Every structure is written in structure tokens, then in C-alpha cells.
């Protein structure tokens, strides 16, 4: 099993001034799978994402991506390795148009992002690809709309398209469907399923029907610790998981 | 399509500075040139040159503040150092004006690299405080150093002959040179804002963590824009030294840093042309209210408070929103 692990974390821990948000978590994501990370509010899911993508430095533990130790790497360099995350709070560039949002992602690869003497019209060669990506998430016709003016669900869609623009080998999606209407949820589900064909996805999601239909493996986190792991069948019957969710609902 | 950006500029070929410039921006630049060409016949040339130098200074700060999202409260360091170096180079070394200006600008760029690389490690208010601290360092250096002439500054700086040929002693001759320098500086800043680099810069300003997650090493971009901004502030300071034939402690004082922030906010930070308007208003106020003495500062403060209350986005910021066009 170990050889087809694309991302693995061993004993990662994050302490905030004495409060342990992530406590000795082991996580292995297998190449080509959709892996869901679930758990009640405050379980430490987002903190886990921050550790895995190095937006936060773990207090302890180590992280390996494609056989490479990335525990001490800078977050931008992790993204360059093809491990790209999205954010729980919709992360778009509000005063750029939808098209420009995508182009920001596309232009890094071109290697001219430091060219301050060149006109931005050179970026127009990216428009076709950007339009294509917008179409993929149902945003054709919104190319010239400022991201700030898009309704919430469409902002999330734009964020996914921006992430996909990097053609990452592995995606970390933090609640990609939060705040979306039923129709958008279905389209995004289908999109994630579609793009997962030759990628690995680790996602945090509260919508359990989405989780059950999409994911190969589920890890349940509660109070910073791994509570259970397995497929949906196994995890949903686990008494500790039921207990944690009910406990959280009552707490 | 991306409507504004794809509008063809004047057909001056691929490398032209106006490539990709939307029509209304070309119109504004032409309007600026027309006004600047007429102004010295109606007003004192030295006064108009002062406005031009501060317009460039404010646009340089705006590049950092409005597009890089970084508030420098010590930009007098670059403006003033360049002013001193240019004055010294022209007076003591006897360099021609263009070389004197280049020396001053180069020193500002160098200081931008040194101070910028330290300042960008901090965020928000801490960034502003670090830049202020560097600004104060330069002030005390200028106060103590021998060549800066202490309280007197460097006076009677010779304007010299441009390229050794054109005598710049007459205000009217100097005026066209200053206009050319400032206009060139404004075009460079415009291009930086509308370049692939500028696009990443805006992304970082809007949402830095997201830019990082897309693989951008954001501190490199911040440093680059800091240096560009310091360089352009230096160009403004150098030019100013030749206009007034003077470099003094006023140029490096913290109130100078404050004034240029004021100009930018008043005109509209993050707009393209706002700082030019802001600089014009403030310089004109200082000039025409000079008879009120110390009251100028108070009147300036009151106008600023009113401006902030009435239009937060600055004069041009409000106008741009009304017209739904980037100005
Ligand atoms: N920077 C921080 N400083 C201090 N405490 C933090 C910080 N970030 C997160 N925490 C705490 O760590 C715990 C885990 O937070 P986290 O955001 O990872 O939870 P989550 O599982 O993503 O929850 P949700 O489902 O609400 O998004 C919470 O109690 C939170 O208050
Ligand atoms: Mg979360």
C-alpha cells in the first residue's frame, strides 16, 4: 500500500498557545483516489490542510509528497510541486474579472510573471484556455464580471476553475460546496468526479451524501485526532463516529 | 473578451508604451500633455514643475500602496536621498544634469533594495512602522552627514547643460525637460500596473494566501514593486533638486512621507490618475495658502478630513466608480 501513497503525514501536530488543534495525526492519501476528511466543527480539518500545504508549520511530525519530504518547504513551492489547495472561505481575487482570475493561475507557467515592462496584452493568448475552464464550471458568459459581483456559489465555482487551471496532480479542497444551491452542488460533484480521473483529491466536506457518493476513503477527525478511517459503509456505522457527531451536535 | 485591455492602442508597433492602452486612457494622457503644455504660460513654470515632480512622487507611492497593497510611511527616504545625491553630483562632482538625476535615482533604487527586503518581512501596520523607521534613519543621516549641509541643505545647485549642450538655466527650457522626465516616469508606472507583473501584484493585493496557493512566491513580487516605487520616487526627488536648485532636510522629513500619502489618498489610491490630481490639489493649496502661514497645515488637515468623509475612494476613485471605468 505504502508505495502508491502520494501524500502522507506522520504524527503531525499543531499547537496554538497550548491548545492542540491537530494532535498526532497520521494520514495517507493513495494516488488516484478521492479521500474525504470529515468531522464536526472545530475538529481541526482546516488546520490539517494548512499543515499539509505548509500555510502553517507543524509543531511536530513530517509530511511526504511523492516520496519527497516537504515538512520544511514554503507554501508557494508546494503548489509548484502540483499540490494545490483551495480555501474554506471563498478565495477569489474580487476586483479582477472572472477571466483575469483564471489567467493569474495560468500565467505563472509562462514564466513572464516578473515582466513589468511588457504590456498585459501578452496575456490574451491565455484567454482561450481561460474561457474553456470557465465553461467547465458553468461560468461561460461571466468572463468579464468582477469576481466580487458573482453570487456565492459562482465564486466557489470560479475558485475551483482557478485551481484546475494549474492542472495540479493533487487537489486539496476545503468545503468546495459550502453555500451552494442543490443544482450547483450536483454540477460541482460531477466536476470533481470528472477531474479526479487522473488526479488525487483530498476534500473536506460536510455534505454527507456528496461524501458517500464521491469518496473512496474517509478519515474522520474529532478534536484534532483521527477517530476512524475507511469507506463510507464502515465509517458511518462506527459507534465512535456517531458518538462524536451527536456529541458535537449537543455540545 | 477582456474588453478594456484588448482595445488596440495606437499602432506604434509591438513594443510601444501605449500597446493595449484603452482609448480613454490615451485621451487622458493626451489631455495631460495639453494641459502641461499650456500651464507654464499661465502659471509660474517653477510652480508647475513642482506639481509635476510631486505628481510623479505620488504615482510612485501609489504603485506600492494602491497596487501592491503596501503602505510605506517612509517614502521621503527615497525622494530625499535622490534629491541630495543629485544636488551633490551636480554641484560638487560637476556632473551633467542627466547623470546627476541618474545617480540620485540609482541611489534611491539601491536603498529600495536594502530597506525593501527588510520591510516586506512585516505586514500591515508593522510594515508601515518599519518603513517609517528607515525614513527616520535617513533623516538623521542627512542631519549629521557632512555633504548634506545640515540645516542649510545643498543650495545653489547648478542646473547645468543637458547632455552638455542644452542650457537649463532658464525656467522655460528646464520646464520641457522636466515634463518629458515626469511623463516618461508616469508611462513607466502605467505600464508596470498593466503588465503581467502588475496582474500578479493585483492578485497579491486582493488575496495573498490565494496567490501563494497558486505558487507565487509573493515576497519577491513585493520586493520588486517596492524597488520600482522607490526608484520612481527617486526620479521625482532628483528632478525636484534641479528645479529648486536645492536639496534640504524637508525632502527627507517624515512630513514629506505623510504628504505624499495624503496626495495619494486624496486623489484616489489604487486609481491610475488619482495621485496626479491629489498632488496638484495639495501643492496648489500650499502655494496659494502660503500667506496663512502655519494655518496651511490646519487647513490641509481639515480638507483631508472632509475629503475622507465625503469620498473615501478619493476624487478620482469616486469619479471612476460613477463612470464605471478604471481611471
Ligand atoms: N490560528 C489559530 N490560532 C488559535 N486557534 C486556532 C487557529 N486556527 C484554528 N484554531 C482552532 O483550532 C481548532 C480547529 O480549527 P479548524 O479551523 O481546523 O477546524 P475545522 O475542522 O476546519 O472546523 P470547521 O468545520 O468549522 O471548518 C478550532 O478550535 C479553532 O478555534
Ligand atoms: Mg474548516
Amino acid at each position: 500500500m505504502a508505495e502508491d501513497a502520494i501524500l502522507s503525514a506522520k504524527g503531525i501536530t499543531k499547537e496554538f498557545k497550548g491548545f492542540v488543534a491537530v494532535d498526532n495525526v497520521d494520514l495517507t492519501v493513495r494516488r488516484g483516489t478521492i479521500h474525504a476528511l470529515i468531522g464536526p466543527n472545530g475538529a481541526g480539518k482546516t488546520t490539517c490542510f494548512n499543515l499539509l500545504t505548509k500555510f502553517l508549520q507543524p509543531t511536530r511530525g513530517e509530511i511526504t509528497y511523492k516520496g519527497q519530504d516537504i515538512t520544511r518547504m514554503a507554501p508557494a513551492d508546494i503548489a509548484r510541486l502540483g499540490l494545490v489547495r483551495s480555501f474554506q472561505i471563498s478565495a477569489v481575487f474580487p476586483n479582477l474579472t472572472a477571466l483575469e482570475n483564471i489567467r493569474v493561475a495560468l500565467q505563472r507557467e509562462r514564466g513572464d510573471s516578473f515582466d513589468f515592462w511588457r504590456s498585459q496584452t501578452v496575456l490574451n493568448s491565455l484567454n482561450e484556455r481561460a474561457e474553456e475552464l470557465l465553461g467547465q464550471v458553468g461560468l461561460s458568459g461571466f468572463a468579464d464580471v468582477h469576481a466580487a459581483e458573482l453570487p456565492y456559489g459562482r465564486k466557489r465555482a470560479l475558485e475551483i476553475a482557478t485551481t484546475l487551471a494549474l492542472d495540479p496532480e493533487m487537489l486539496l479542497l476545503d468545503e468546495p460546496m459550502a453555500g451552494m444551491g442543490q443544482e450547483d452542488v450536483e454540477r460541482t460533484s460531477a466536476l470533481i468526479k470528472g477531474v479526479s480521473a487522473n488526479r488525487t483529491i483530498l476534500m473536506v466536506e460536510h455534505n454527507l451524501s456528496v461524501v458517500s457518493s464521491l469518496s473512496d476513503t474517509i478519515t474522520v477527525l474529532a478534536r484534532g485526532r483521527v477517530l476512524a478511517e475507511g469507506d463510507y459503509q464502515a465509517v458511518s456505522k462506527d459507534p465512535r463516529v456517531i458518538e462524536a457527531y451527536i456529541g458535537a451536535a449537543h455540545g | 473578451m477582456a474588453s478594456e485591455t484588448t482595445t488596440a492602442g495606437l499602432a506604434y508597433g509591438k513594443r510601444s508604451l501605449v500597446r493595449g492602452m484603452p482609448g480613454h486612457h490615451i485621451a487622458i494622457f493626451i489631455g495631460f500633455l495639453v494641459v502641461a503644455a499650456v500651464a507654464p504660460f499661465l502659471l509660474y513654470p517653477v510652480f508647475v514643475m513642482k506639481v509635476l515632480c510631486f505628481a510623479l512622487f505620488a504615482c510612485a507611492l501609489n504603485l506600492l500602496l494602491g497596487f501592491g497593497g503596501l503602505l510605506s510611511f517612509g517614502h521621503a527616504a527615497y525622494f530625499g536621498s535622490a534629491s541630495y545625491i543629485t544636488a551633490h553630483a551636480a554641484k560638487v562632482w560637476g556632473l551633467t544634469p542627466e547623470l546627476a538625476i541618474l545617480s540620485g535615482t540609482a541611489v534611491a533604487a539601491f536603498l529600495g533594495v536594502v530597506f525593501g527586503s527588510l520591510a516586506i518581512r512585516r505586514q500591515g501596520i508593522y510594515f508601515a512602522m518599519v518603513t517609517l523607521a528607515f525614513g527616520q534613519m535617513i533623516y538623521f543621516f542627512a542631519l549629521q552627514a557632512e555633504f548634506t549641509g545640515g540645516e542649510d541643505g545643498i543650495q545653489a545647485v547648478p542646473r547645468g547643460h543637458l547632455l552638455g549642450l542644452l542650457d537649463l538655466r532658464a525656467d522655460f527650457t528646464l520646464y520641457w525637460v522636466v515634463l518629458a522626465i515626469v511623463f516618461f516616469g508616469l508611462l513607466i508606472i502605467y505600464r508596470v500596473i498593466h503588465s503581467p507583473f502588475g496582474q500578479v501584484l493585483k492578485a497579491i493585493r486582493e488575496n495573498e494566501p490565494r496567490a501563494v496557493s497558486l505558487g507565487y512566491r509573493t515576497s519577491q513580487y513585493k520586493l520588486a514593486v517596492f524597488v520600482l516605487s522607490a526608484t520612481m520616487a527617486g526620479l521625482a526627488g532628483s528632478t525636484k533638486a534641479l528645479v529648486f536648485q536645492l536639496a534640504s532636510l524637508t525632502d527627507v522629513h517624515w512630513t514629506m512621507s505623510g504628504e505624499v500619502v495624503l496626495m495619494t489618498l486624496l486623489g484616489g489610491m489604487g486609481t491610475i490618475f488619482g495621485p496626479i490630481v491629489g498632488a496638484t490639489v495639495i501643492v496648489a493649496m500650499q502655494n496659494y495658502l502660503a500667506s496663512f502661514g502655519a494655518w496651511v497645515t490646519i487647513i490641509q488637515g481639515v480638507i483631508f478630513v472632509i475629503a475622507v468623509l465625503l469620498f473615501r475612494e478619493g476624487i478620482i476613485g469616486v469619479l471612476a466608480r460613477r463612470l464605471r471605468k478604471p481611471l
Side-chain angles (χ1 to χ4, degrees):
Chain A
M1 274 298 200
E3 71 271 18
D4 66 348
I6 183 164
L7 179 71
S8 77
K10 274 201 185 59
I12 50 167
T13 299
K14 183 69 193 175
E15 291 173 6
F16 296 113
K17 296 188 188 110
F19 171 75
V20 186
V22 172
D23 190 0
N24 204 20
V25 165
D26 291 331
L27 186 71
T28 302
V29 182
R30 281 173 297 130
R31 194 184 289 273
T33 58
I34 300 183
H35 192 130
L37 190 60
I38 66 169
N41 290 115
K45 307 179 294 292
T46 298
T47 308
C48 256
F49 267 32
N50 285 333
L51 295 175
L52 294 171
T53 50
K54 296 308 310 303
F55 277 71
L56 287 174
Q57 182 63 35
T59 315
R60 275 186 296 284
E62 52 189 61
I63 307 159
T64 317
Y65 175 67
K66 293 205 286 180
Q68 186 179 355
D69 184 354
I70 59 166
T71 318
R72 313 242 146 252
M73 265 194 185
D77 296 326
I78 303 247
R80 285 162 181 248
L81 291 177
L83 175 58
V84 180
R85 68 170 299 178
S86 71
F87 293 82
Q88 180 167 0
I89 308 152
S90 133
V92 292
F93 305 117
N95 290 312
L96 301 185
T97 64
L99 187 89
E100 287 171 332
N101 265 266
I102 309 254
R103 288 201 318 197
V104 169
L106 289 173
Q107 89 175 75
R108 182 171 56 75
E109 285 271 275
R110 289 169 47 95
D112 60 1
S113 291
F114 270 107
D115 294 3
F116 58 81
W117 56 90
R118 223 176 261 248
S119 166
Q120 65 187 7
T121 51
V122 299
L123 299 176
N124 288 344
S125 63
L126 302 171
N127 288 0
E128 200 180 319
R129 177 76 187 121
E131 299 263 7
E132 205 176 287
L133 284 155
L134 285 174
Q136 233 181 13
V137 295
L139 286 178
S140 354
F142 291 88
D144 287 339
V145 179
H146 282 148
E149 285 157 26
L150 292 173
Y152 188 78
R154 298 215 183 267
K155 275 190 192 133
R156 307 282 349 211
L158 176 60
E159 196 187 337
I160 294 175
T162 308
T163 306
L164 286 177
L166 295 178
D167 194 15
E169 214 173 323
M170 179 164 181
L171 286 83
L172 269 63
L173 305 172
D174 198 350
E175 304 196 23
M177 293 169 225
M180 281 190 182
Q182 188 54 37
E183 197 185 322
D184 287 333
V185 167
E186 275 161 30
R187 188 184 34 229
T188 311
S189 261
L191 177 70
I192 290 175
K193 188 83 202 157
V195 302
S196 74
N198 44 6
R199 289 174 231 271
T200 311
I201 295 175
L202 176 63
M203 61 191 274
V204 171
E205 187 49 59
H206 280 301
N207 185 330
L208 288 183
S209 76
V210 169
V211 170
S212 68
S213 68
L214 280 183
S215 41
D216 303 297
T217 313
I218 298 168
T219 299
V220 185
L221 218 59
R223 297 183 185 192
R225 289 165 182 263
V226 176
L227 208 58
E229 193 171 272
D231 62 11
Y232 189 75
Q233 286 300 325
V235 161
S236 61
K237 288 203 184 78
D238 192 312
R240 286 167 306 175
V241 175
I242 297 165
E243 157 84 41
Y245 267 90
I246 293 169
H250 285 264
Chain B
M1 292 285 123
S3 49
E4 296 294 349
T5 51
T6 48
T7 315
L10 294 179
Y12 283 153
K14 287 200 158 187
R15 293 185 175 277
S16 155
L17 270 170
V18 292
R19 182 169 181 227
M21 208 188 272
H24 70 283
H25 289 174
I26 295 176
I28 291 171
F29 273 118
I30 291 173
F32 173 86
L33 281 181
V34 170
V35 171
V38 176
F41 296 99
L42 306 173
L43 306 158
Y44 291 111
V46 172
F47 164 72
V48 187
M49 286 191 277
K50 184 177 178 188
V51 170
L52 288 173
C53 291
F54 277 94
L56 179 58
F57 187 20
C59 284
L61 181 89
N62 183 48
L63 176 61
L64 184 65
L65 173 59
F67 294 91
L70 298 166
L71 171 58
S72 164
F73 212 77
H75 248 44
Y78 315 103
F79 181 84
S81 307
S83 170
Y84 274 116
I85 297 295
T86 299
H88 186 75
K91 190 173 178 180
V92 180
W93 298 339
L95 293 188
T96 51
E98 70 282 356
L99 289 179
I101 287 177
L102 276 180
S103 317
T105 308
V107 167
F110 172 74
L111 287 177
V113 173
V114 177
F115 293 165
S117 51
L118 294 167
I120 55 154
R121 294 163 194 230
R122 294 281 170 271
Q123 311 240 319
I125 190 72
Y126 299 102
F127 175 86
M129 279 163 58
V130 172
T131 53
L132 175 61
F134 286 133
Q136 289 303 89
M137 264 172 56
I138 292 294
Y139 176 77
F140 286 114
F141 177 78
L143 192 61
Q144 300 297 331
E146 198 75 7
F147 85 96
T148 53
E151 300 280 349
D152 298 334
I154 306 176
Q155 299 184 3
V157 175
R159 287 175 177 172
H161 291 66
L162 186 72
L163 299 166
L165 301 169
L166 183 63
D167 188 350
L168 297 181
R169 269 176 301 183
D171 286 343
F172 253 96
T173 319
L174 181 68
Y175 182 83
W176 305 114
V177 175
V178 169
L179 176 59
I181 293 172
V182 169
F183 191 68
F184 175 67
L186 294 178
L187 281 182
I188 290 181
I189 292 173
Y190 181 92
R191 170 51 63 82
V192 173
I193 294 170
H194 298 91
S195 67
F197 170 80
Q199 203 63 17
V200 178
L201 209 55
K202 285 173 213 162
I204 295 172
R205 170 195 70 187
E206 306 265 292
N207 191 332
E208 186 171 353
R210 182 51 169 163
V212 169
S213 82
L214 296 178
Y216 288 105
R217 296 169 181 141
T218 53
S219 46
Q220 295 177 356
Y221 290 85
K222 289 184 187 174
L223 177 58
V225 73
F226 195 99
V227 174
L228 285 168
S229 171
T231 308
M232 286 299 143
L235 181 60
S238 291
T239 310
K240 190 239 70 164
L242 286 191
V243 171
F244 288 98
Q245 304 185 271
L246 172 73
S248 72
L249 287 174
T250 322
D251 300 341
V252 286
H253 200 250
W254 65 269
T255 49
M256 180 64 82
S257 300
E259 233 160 55
V260 73
V261 171
L262 188 68
M263 290 170 182
T264 306
L265 294 182
L266 184 64
M269 95 180 195
T271 64
I272 301 159
F273 302 101
I276 302 175
V277 175
T280 310
V281 171
I282 301 274
V283 174
M285 251 165 48
Q286 287 169 345
N287 203 55
Y288 294 110
L289 301 179
S291 52
F292 291 91
W295 285 92
V296 179
T297 326
I298 295 171
I299 296 170
Q300 211 168 296
V302 170
I303 290 186
F304 181 58
V305 170
I306 293 172
V308 168
L309 291 178
L310 285 184
F311 27 77
R312 284 161 165 271
E313 303 140 289
I315 300 166
I316 296 301
V318 171
L319 199 63
R321 186 160 46 79
R322 290 270 163 81
L323 300 175
R324 306 195 112 259
K325 270 191 159 73
L327 292 177

